[in-house]
Amino acid sequence: DRPQRAVMFVEANTQMQNVFRQRFKTAGFRVLVTQDPQRALTRFSEEPPPAQCVVFSTQDLGEKAVDAYQRFITADKTQRIPAVLLLGEQHGEWAARSDDAEHHVVVPMPIKLGEFHELLDRLVPHATV
């Protein structure tokens, strides 16, 4: 029995939280959700980290999500963990606020859930152990 993959969503919109929770649970992920970007950073500074990937959504959190994402991808403890910055439709100008690492991805909304699922599959491969 392979270990379950886990992803944390930093999302303030309850409706979106539920969509992520339902969709990715069905896909076999353990889904963690928080509205607080700072809480996500704190949780990932613990050992072991709570998930293999984190998604920061700017839709309702705006600049706070971008700041947390940037701190996450540059911190010694978390920079190797896959991270996604999910940009709200009005936040396209923040697309450049990432590095060029393959496991740090900026995704503009809207995105089809199927494409998002493929992205997370790529970032968090099934454990082979």
Side-chain angles (χ1 to χ4, degrees), residues 11-121:
E11 169 63 69
N13 181 308
T14 319
Q15 197 176 348
M16 283 304 291
Q17 287 178 358
N18 291 335
V19 168
F20 290 144
R21 202 177 273 124
Q22 289 164 346
R23 175 65 193 227
F24 290 100
K25 261 189 178 160
T26 307
F29 283 91
R30 193 163 69 88
V31 178
L32 309 169
V33 178
T34 181
Q35 298 183 25
D36 180 0
Q38 187 52 53
R39 177 161 163 64
L41 293 174
T42 303
R43 292 279 314 275
F44 273 93
S45 68
E46 298 165 0
E47 284 296 330
Q52 291 98 3
C53 181
V54 63
V55 177
F56 293 95
S57 171
T58 69
Q59 191 69 42
D60 288 355
L61 293 167
E63 194 78 44
K64 286 194 289 197
V66 181
D67 291 343
Y69 171 80
Q70 288 182 304
R71 292 208 315 265
F72 189 90
I73 67 172
T74 55
D76 287 343
K77 197 160 179 91
T78 52
Q79 64 184 237
R80 285 177 293 287
I81 298 172
V84 177
L85 182 61
L86 193 57
L87 293 178
E89 294 183 49
Q90 68 280 24
H91 299 144
E93 74 276 8
W94 292 339
R97 310 263 299 266
S98 185
D99 57 16
D100 289 326
E102 212 177 307
H103 62 291
H104 297 152
V105 183
V106 177
V107 177
M109 293 276 273
I111 182 171
K112 292 184 175 85
L113 279 172
E115 292 171 13
F116 198 29
H117 183 221
E118 285 172 23
L119 171 67
L120 289 183
D121 263 351

